Amino acid sequence: MNSADTLQRFSFDNTDIRGEVAHLNASFRDVMKRHQYPAMIAIELGELMAATALLSANLKFAGRLTLQVRLPGNVSLLQAETSEKGELRAIARYDDSVAVEELSFDNGQMVITIEPEEGQRYQGITAIEGGNIAKAMEEYFEQSEQLASRFWLECDGENAAGFMLQKMPAMESSDVDAWDRLTHLASTLKQEELLQLNNDVLLHRLYHEEEIRVYEPSDLKFFCTCSKPRLATALMQLGYDELDTMLQESSKIEVNCEFCQQHYSFDRAQVDELFPQRNPH
Ligand SMILES: [Zn+2]
């Protein structure tokens, strides 16, 4: 049994190195049962969700962190989001008229957006090659934060998991080859070990000769932030005339949340309410 749907941090005594391990089981499957993604997209999205879960530990305030992979080809977008509470959701956009074996991850951009409920929005962009999320994450931390990091992301279509090591800049460590040693040991992890072992077994297997300190895990789960008012705000962007035309063709505007497939409908009275300046009374 692995450590289901949790994020767990750890650190190594007498070094400036910390790590995290994330498991997504039910939360990954809760995303997948709402979509019919081809296997290669499901697996890539699982890895992106695992990366997002690892980054959620950086959210020290109420807000959202979004990881987007934006590509020019027939797979155009992969997106995973988390709140500071580890509430995750994810989506992929691709050309479903193309045969599955033709789908590919072209080179593109990885975009990291952090939106605090209060305060400045932050966005960072880095290149991503051939859908290699782990490498893009490592380059992002190297370029934007000057932090050496290593990411291992795995998904087998049922479960997803992520493992990260990061070298903090502040302290001078006496253990000079700790980084090489700890990252080398993590590189020996097999996909099934990361996906299936619980953290106690996993960390013991890798680091039983190290002074490791393991912190309380926090929960991860699927949760969609959609609501009728939020969908209404999105509809308003289309403008009154567009909505008016839609309502002449059908008595209600039907909308499905792209993330969770929750259905919402708006009738004429509800649309009119969105544009009070249009109402003479
Ligand atoms: Zn939703």
Side-chain angles (χ1 to χ4, degrees):
M1 270 301 287
N2 71 15
S3 305
D5 292 275
T6 53
L7 173 68
Q8 189 156 29
R9 297 186 301 120
F10 52 88
S11 61
F12 299 92
D13 288 355
N14 308 313
T15 77
D16 50 1
I17 298 162
R18 66 182 197 98
E20 289 171 17
V21 53
H23 294 280
L24 297 164
N25 308 311
S27 45
F28 173 68
R29 292 193 288 270
D30 278 345
V31 169
M32 288 306 137
K33 71 186 181 196
R34 290 168 168 83
H35 305 275
Q36 270 83 49
Y37 293 139
M40 70 172 285
I41 290 181
I43 286 168
E44 184 81 357
L45 200 57
E47 292 182 9
L48 190 70
M49 285 180 72
T52 305
L54 293 171
L55 292 192
S56 71
N58 296 356
L59 274 178
K60 307 284 187 217
F61 42 77
R64 298 197 68 70
L65 182 147
T66 303
L67 264 186
Q68 280 186 331
V69 176
R70 297 180 189 165
L71 305 176
N74 51 28
V75 180
S76 55
L77 178 77
L78 299 154
Q79 178 171 334
E81 304 176 13
T82 182
S83 71
E84 80 287 358
K85 299 191 201 93
E87 296 167 329
L88 294 139
R89 64 179 194 169
I91 194 177
R93 287 197 197 121
Y94 64 103
D95 183 351
D96 60 6
S97 69
V98 170
V100 169
E101 54 277 14
E102 305 270 305
L103 292 172
S104 66
F105 302 118
D106 292 358
N107 297 341
Q109 288 181 325
M110 167 114 95
V111 182
I112 298 174
T113 308
I114 298 172
E115 295 163 286
E117 275 175 19
E118 288 171 28
Q120 277 288 320
R121 180 171 178 269
Y122 163 85
Q123 194 161 71
I125 300 179
T126 190
I128 180 166
E129 288 177 21
N132 192 335
I133 298 165
K135 186 156 166 278
M137 299 290 293
E138 289 162 11
E139 283 173 3
Y140 168 78
F141 278 102
E142 184 69 48
Q143 288 162 12
S144 70
E145 319 260 337
Q146 284 80 49
L147 291 179
S149 309
R150 290 292 309 274
F151 284 79
W152 292 266
L153 306 170
E154 297 289 357
C155 179
D156 62 1
E158 287 287 314
N159 303 303
F163 192 95
M164 184 201 77
L165 292 175
Q166 201 159 59
K167 196 171 187 308
M168 306 313 288
M171 287 194 303
E172 270 303 317
S173 167
S174 53
D175 189 352
V176 286
D177 49 39
W179 178 249
D180 288 344
R181 189 175 71 246
L182 297 173
T183 53
H184 173 75
L185 288 167
S187 301
T188 65
L189 256 188
K190 296 186 182 74
Q191 184 195 48
E192 63 269 23
E193 290 178 303
L194 180 53
L195 288 172
Q196 289 165 16
L197 295 179
N198 80 45
N199 291 345
D200 291 344
V201 177
L202 183 83
L203 293 172
H204 179 77
R205 195 172 281 190
L206 290 178
Y207 297 131
H208 56 275
E209 289 179 6
E210 308 290 335
E211 304 267 333
I212 188 168
R213 193 176 295 260
V214 180
Y215 302 93
E216 272 297 298
S218 57
D219 292 334
L220 300 169
K221 62 169 182 278
F222 171 77
F223 180 76
C224 190
T225 51
C226 70
S227 65
K228 191 146 185 175
R230 282 184 194 215
L231 266 285
T233 305
L235 273 186
M236 283 173 71
Q237 318 274 328
L238 295 175
Y240 182 82
D241 292 344
E242 176 75 25
L243 300 177
D244 182 53
T245 307
M246 290 162 83
L247 283 166
Q248 282 166 23
E249 288 159 9
S250 115
S251 63
K252 283 181 176 170
I253 297 173
E254 313 282 350
V255 195
N256 276 358
C257 171
E258 215 181 356
F259 286 90
C260 72
Q261 308 294 341
Q262 172 74 43
H263 181 79
Y264 296 93
S265 73
F266 296 84
D267 62 19
R268 171 145 321 258
Q270 289 167 326
V271 168
D272 283 345
E273 263 178 46
L274 301 178
F275 296 90
Q277 71 281 13
R278 291 237 163 214
N279 288 332
H281 43 269

